[in-house]
Short mmCIF file of all heavy atoms in Angstrom, two decimals:
data_model
loop_
_atom_site.label_atom_id
_atom_site.label_comp_id
_atom_site.label_asym_id
_atom_site.label_seq_id
_atom_site.Cartn_x
_atom_site.Cartn_y
_atom_site.Cartn_z
N GLU A 290 6.06 40.73 -78.46
CA GLU A 290 5.31 41.18 -79.68
C GLU A 290 4.63 42.50 -79.25
O GLU A 290 4.32 42.77 -78.04
CB GLU A 290 4.29 40.22 -80.07
CG GLU A 290 4.86 38.92 -80.70
CD GLU A 290 5.55 39.28 -82.03
OE1 GLU A 290 5.15 40.24 -82.68
OE2 GLU A 290 6.39 38.48 -82.47
N PRO A 291 4.31 43.46 -80.26
CA PRO A 291 3.62 44.69 -79.99
C PRO A 291 2.37 44.39 -79.09
O PRO A 291 1.64 43.52 -79.47
CB PRO A 291 3.38 45.24 -81.34
CG PRO A 291 4.42 44.65 -82.21
CD PRO A 291 4.63 43.32 -81.67
N GLY A 292 2.21 45.27 -78.14
CA GLY A 292 1.09 45.14 -77.32
C GLY A 292 1.20 44.26 -76.08
O GLY A 292 0.32 44.20 -75.22
N GLU A 293 2.25 43.46 -76.04
CA GLU A 293 2.51 42.65 -74.87
C GLU A 293 3.59 43.16 -74.06
O GLU A 293 4.50 43.90 -74.57
CB GLU A 293 2.90 41.19 -75.33
CG GLU A 293 1.87 40.45 -76.20
CD GLU A 293 2.31 39.10 -76.62
OE1 GLU A 293 3.48 38.82 -76.45
OE2 GLU A 293 1.48 38.36 -77.14
N THR A 294 3.62 42.93 -72.73
CA THR A 294 4.61 43.40 -71.87
C THR A 294 5.14 42.27 -70.97
O THR A 294 4.35 41.52 -70.41
CB THR A 294 4.04 44.56 -71.00
OG1 THR A 294 3.54 45.53 -71.89
CG2 THR A 294 5.16 45.14 -70.16
N LYS A 295 6.45 42.18 -70.85
CA LYS A 295 6.96 41.20 -69.90
C LYS A 295 6.85 41.82 -68.51
O LYS A 295 7.25 42.99 -68.33
CB LYS A 295 8.43 40.86 -70.20
CG LYS A 295 8.67 40.07 -71.50
CD LYS A 295 10.11 39.77 -71.71
CE LYS A 295 10.29 38.93 -72.94
NZ LYS A 295 11.75 38.65 -73.20
N THR A 296 6.43 41.04 -67.56
CA THR A 296 6.32 41.50 -66.15
C THR A 296 6.94 40.50 -65.23
O THR A 296 6.85 39.32 -65.42
CB THR A 296 4.86 41.80 -65.74
OG1 THR A 296 4.18 40.55 -65.84
CG2 THR A 296 4.18 42.81 -66.63
N SER A 297 7.57 41.02 -64.14
CA SER A 297 8.16 40.19 -63.16
C SER A 297 8.14 40.95 -61.88
O SER A 297 8.47 42.13 -61.87
CB SER A 297 9.50 39.70 -63.52
OG SER A 297 10.44 40.79 -63.70
N SER A 298 7.85 40.32 -60.73
CA SER A 298 7.79 40.98 -59.49
C SER A 298 9.19 40.89 -58.82
O SER A 298 9.70 39.82 -58.61
CB SER A 298 6.75 40.39 -58.59
OG SER A 298 5.47 40.50 -59.17
N PRO A 299 9.77 42.10 -58.34
CA PRO A 299 11.07 41.95 -57.64
C PRO A 299 10.84 41.35 -56.35
O PRO A 299 9.81 41.40 -55.74
CB PRO A 299 11.49 43.43 -57.63
CG PRO A 299 10.17 44.15 -57.58
CD PRO A 299 9.24 43.48 -58.49
N PRO A 300 11.95 40.84 -55.78
CA PRO A 300 11.89 40.30 -54.36
C PRO A 300 11.51 41.42 -53.38
O PRO A 300 11.79 42.58 -53.63
CB PRO A 300 13.37 39.82 -54.12
CG PRO A 300 13.97 39.59 -55.49
CD PRO A 300 13.30 40.60 -56.37
N PRO A 301 10.81 41.05 -52.31
CA PRO A 301 10.32 42.07 -51.47
C PRO A 301 11.40 43.01 -50.86
O PRO A 301 11.20 44.13 -50.58
CB PRO A 301 9.66 41.30 -50.29
CG PRO A 301 9.26 39.95 -50.93
CD PRO A 301 10.32 39.71 -51.95
N SER A 302 12.60 42.43 -50.72
CA SER A 302 13.69 43.23 -50.14
C SER A 302 14.37 44.13 -51.17
O SER A 302 15.25 44.98 -50.78
CB SER A 302 14.77 42.24 -49.59
OG SER A 302 15.29 41.36 -50.59
N SER A 303 14.03 44.00 -52.34
CA SER A 303 14.63 44.77 -53.47
C SER A 303 14.22 46.23 -53.38
O SER A 303 12.93 46.47 -53.39
CB SER A 303 14.48 44.24 -54.83
OG SER A 303 14.98 42.92 -54.92
N PRO A 304 15.02 47.24 -53.45
CA PRO A 304 14.59 48.61 -53.49
C PRO A 304 13.99 49.01 -54.74
O PRO A 304 14.42 48.33 -55.84
CB PRO A 304 15.87 49.44 -53.15
CG PRO A 304 16.93 48.54 -53.69
CD PRO A 304 16.45 47.07 -53.41
N PRO A 305 13.00 49.83 -54.86
CA PRO A 305 12.43 50.21 -56.19
C PRO A 305 13.48 50.96 -57.01
O PRO A 305 14.41 51.64 -56.54
CB PRO A 305 11.32 51.18 -55.79
CG PRO A 305 11.68 51.69 -54.50
CD PRO A 305 12.40 50.65 -53.76
N PRO A 306 13.46 50.68 -58.33
CA PRO A 306 14.50 51.35 -59.19
C PRO A 306 14.23 52.86 -59.20
O PRO A 306 13.15 53.39 -59.05
CB PRO A 306 14.19 50.75 -60.55
CG PRO A 306 12.81 50.25 -60.48
CD PRO A 306 12.61 49.81 -59.05
N SER A 307 15.29 53.58 -59.35
CA SER A 307 15.20 55.08 -59.32
C SER A 307 14.49 55.50 -60.53
O SER A 307 13.75 56.58 -60.49
CB SER A 307 16.59 55.75 -59.32
OG SER A 307 17.37 55.16 -60.35
N SER A 308 14.58 54.87 -61.65
CA SER A 308 13.86 55.21 -62.87
C SER A 308 13.79 53.98 -63.76
O SER A 308 14.71 53.15 -63.67
CB SER A 308 14.51 56.35 -63.59
OG SER A 308 15.82 55.96 -64.03
N PRO A 309 12.62 53.79 -64.49
CA PRO A 309 12.49 52.63 -65.33
C PRO A 309 13.51 52.61 -66.43
O PRO A 309 13.89 53.73 -66.91
CB PRO A 309 11.14 52.76 -65.83
CG PRO A 309 10.79 54.21 -65.77
CD PRO A 309 11.46 54.65 -64.59
N PRO A 310 14.10 51.47 -66.82
CA PRO A 310 15.10 51.44 -67.79
C PRO A 310 14.40 51.75 -69.17
O PRO A 310 13.23 51.48 -69.38
CB PRO A 310 15.61 49.94 -67.86
CG PRO A 310 14.43 49.21 -67.24
CD PRO A 310 13.79 50.08 -66.21
N PRO A 311 15.17 52.33 -70.05
CA PRO A 311 14.58 52.67 -71.38
C PRO A 311 14.19 51.36 -72.12
O PRO A 311 14.89 50.34 -71.99
CB PRO A 311 15.67 53.40 -72.08
CG PRO A 311 16.91 52.89 -71.41
CD PRO A 311 16.59 52.70 -70.05
N PRO A 312 13.16 51.38 -72.92
CA PRO A 312 12.80 50.13 -73.64
C PRO A 312 13.87 49.73 -74.63
O PRO A 312 14.51 50.61 -75.28
CB PRO A 312 11.54 50.57 -74.40
CG PRO A 312 11.51 52.03 -74.47
CD PRO A 312 12.24 52.53 -73.31
N ARG A 313 14.06 48.43 -74.75
CA ARG A 313 15.04 47.98 -75.74
C ARG A 313 14.49 48.09 -77.08
O ARG A 313 13.25 47.91 -77.32
CB ARG A 313 15.44 46.49 -75.42
CG ARG A 313 16.20 46.29 -74.16
CD ARG A 313 16.82 44.95 -74.18
NE ARG A 313 15.91 43.82 -74.40
CZ ARG A 313 16.34 42.58 -74.49
NH1 ARG A 313 17.54 42.29 -74.42
NH2 ARG A 313 15.34 41.62 -74.68
N ARG A 314 15.32 48.37 -78.08
CA ARG A 314 14.90 48.46 -79.52
C ARG A 314 14.38 47.01 -79.91
O ARG A 314 15.14 46.09 -79.68
CB ARG A 314 15.97 48.93 -80.35
CG ARG A 314 15.64 48.93 -81.84
CD ARG A 314 16.81 49.42 -82.69
NE ARG A 314 17.18 50.86 -82.43
CZ ARG A 314 18.10 51.46 -83.04
NH1 ARG A 314 18.82 50.91 -83.93
NH2 ARG A 314 18.38 52.70 -82.65
N PRO A 315 13.18 46.96 -80.49
CA PRO A 315 12.71 45.53 -80.92
C PRO A 315 13.67 45.09 -82.06
O PRO A 315 13.77 45.75 -83.11
CB PRO A 315 11.33 45.89 -81.42
CG PRO A 315 10.86 47.12 -80.81
CD PRO A 315 12.18 47.96 -80.64
N LEU A 316 14.22 43.90 -81.83
CA LEU A 316 15.20 43.39 -82.81
C LEU A 316 14.86 41.95 -83.18
O LEU A 316 14.19 41.31 -82.45
CB LEU A 316 16.62 43.46 -82.21
CG LEU A 316 17.20 44.84 -81.84
CD1 LEU A 316 18.58 44.64 -81.19
CD2 LEU A 316 17.36 45.73 -83.02
N ALA A 317 15.34 41.59 -84.32
CA ALA A 317 15.34 40.21 -84.71
C ALA A 317 16.71 39.75 -85.17
O ALA A 317 17.37 40.44 -85.93
CB ALA A 317 14.33 39.99 -85.90
N VAL A 318 17.24 38.63 -84.59
CA VAL A 318 18.50 38.09 -85.02
C VAL A 318 18.26 36.86 -85.83
O VAL A 318 17.62 35.88 -85.46
CB VAL A 318 19.29 37.70 -83.72
CG1 VAL A 318 20.61 37.03 -84.10
CG2 VAL A 318 19.54 38.88 -82.79
N LEU A 319 18.59 36.97 -87.19
CA LEU A 319 18.37 35.96 -88.16
C LEU A 319 19.63 35.18 -88.35
O LEU A 319 20.67 35.74 -88.84
CB LEU A 319 17.92 36.55 -89.43
CG LEU A 319 16.39 36.81 -89.63
CD1 LEU A 319 15.92 37.96 -88.67
CD2 LEU A 319 16.14 37.25 -91.06
#
């Protein structure tokens, strides 16, 4: 929902991403 952000910590061995992925378009599947 607007104003909320999903967060997850990558495993310690994982290299940092070169650039953050673009946000997905907010969608609803009815």
